[in-house]
């Protein structure tokens, strides 16, 4: 097991992020091809943890320092389009400037809030994209340990 200080010394197993290859491609062609910070929502079949769709958050406010999702639009699309189509939120993907491939304190607060609002989610996929290196760092937050971020593996399917 990784001895990274953010990983607790317990037997909790960290799940990988399962993602459709097409989604990975869409992420890198949008978020990966733009300056930080941009982002979007990760979606997949209700009851599964597989990510099968991605919605680039065009209307997010991007200051270059933080990524703030456009809650109103995302909430409306969730109610009107995604839930009726049988998909729900699996997490968020966003980019960071430089080479900072960890979730910030603000990111962690935001994710914890979403986990509290969505008690059916056992994990929250929060990969970080580093546009400067055209790289994606898979990170997951477990609802049982909402204060911890776990680097994990990305499984493309
Ligand atoms: Zn961030």
């Amino acid at each position: 097991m990784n001895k990274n200080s953010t990983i607790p010394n317990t037997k909790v197993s960290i799940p990988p992020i399962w993602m459709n290859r097409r989604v990975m491609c869409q992420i890198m062609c949008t978020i990966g091809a733009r300056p930080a910070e941009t982002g979007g929502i990760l979606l997949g079949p209700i009851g599964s943890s597989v990510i099968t769709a991605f919605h680039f958050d065009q209307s997010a406010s991007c200051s270059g320092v933080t990524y703030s999702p456009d809650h109103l639009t995302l909430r409306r699309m969730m109610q009107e389009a995604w839930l009726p189509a049988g998909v729900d939120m699996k997490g968020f993907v966003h980019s960071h400037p430089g080479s900072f491939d960890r979730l910030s304190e603000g990111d962690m607060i935001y994710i914890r809030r979403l986990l509290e609002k969505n008690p059916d989610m056992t994990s929250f996929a929060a990969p970080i994209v580093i546009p400067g290196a055209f790289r994606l760092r898979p990170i997951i937050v477990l609802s049982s340990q909402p204060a911890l971020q776990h680097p994990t593996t990305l499984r493309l399917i």
Side-chain angles (χ1 to χ4, degrees):
M1 180 144 210
N2 192 328
K3 293 283 186 260
N4 189 308
S5 61
T6 58
I7 295 176
N9 188 20
T10 63
K11 292 287 181 193
V12 173
S13 66
I14 308 305
I17 294 177
W18 294 92
M19 186 183 286
N20 185 296
R21 283 173 196 281
R22 191 174 44 82
V23 172
M24 178 68 178
C25 186
Q26 289 169 348
I27 290 169
M28 297 314 283
C29 290
T30 52
I31 296 173
R34 287 168 165 79
E37 295 202 359
T38 65
I41 187 171
L42 299 169
L43 302 156
I46 294 168
S48 150
S49 57
V50 179
I51 296 162
T52 58
F54 160 69
H55 173 76
F56 182 60
D57 192 0
Q58 295 274 11
S59 45
S61 53
C62 304
S63 64
V65 182
T66 54
Y67 159 67
S68 305
D70 174 7
H71 299 277
L72 291 178
T73 302
L74 293 180
R75 194 180 307 148
R76 192 173 63 241
M77 291 191 73
M78 184 62 76
Q79 296 303 327
E80 293 176 4
W82 299 328
L83 288 177
V87 299
D88 65 3
M89 177 176 64
K90 305 303 173 197
F92 268 100
V93 53
H94 73 287
S95 58
H96 278 172
S99 57
F100 182 56
D101 62 358
R102 309 284 297 167
L103 295 169
S104 69
E105 215 169 296
D107 294 333
M108 292 301 292
I109 291 168
Y110 183 70
I111 290 167
R112 181 194 284 252
R113 222 173 273 157
L114 282 172
L115 282 169
E116 284 167 0
K117 276 186 196 162
N118 297 278
D120 52 318
M121 289 182 85
T122 55
S123 64
F124 191 99
I128 298 290
V129 174
I130 304 296
F134 201 63
R135 186 164 70 83
L136 180 141
R137 167 78 144 162
I139 297 178
I140 205 162
V141 178
L142 305 178
S143 60
S144 57
Q145 303 173 326
L148 297 173
Q149 55 180 303
H150 301 282
T152 187
T153 51
L154 181 68
R155 301 274 171 81
L156 293 176
I157 54 170

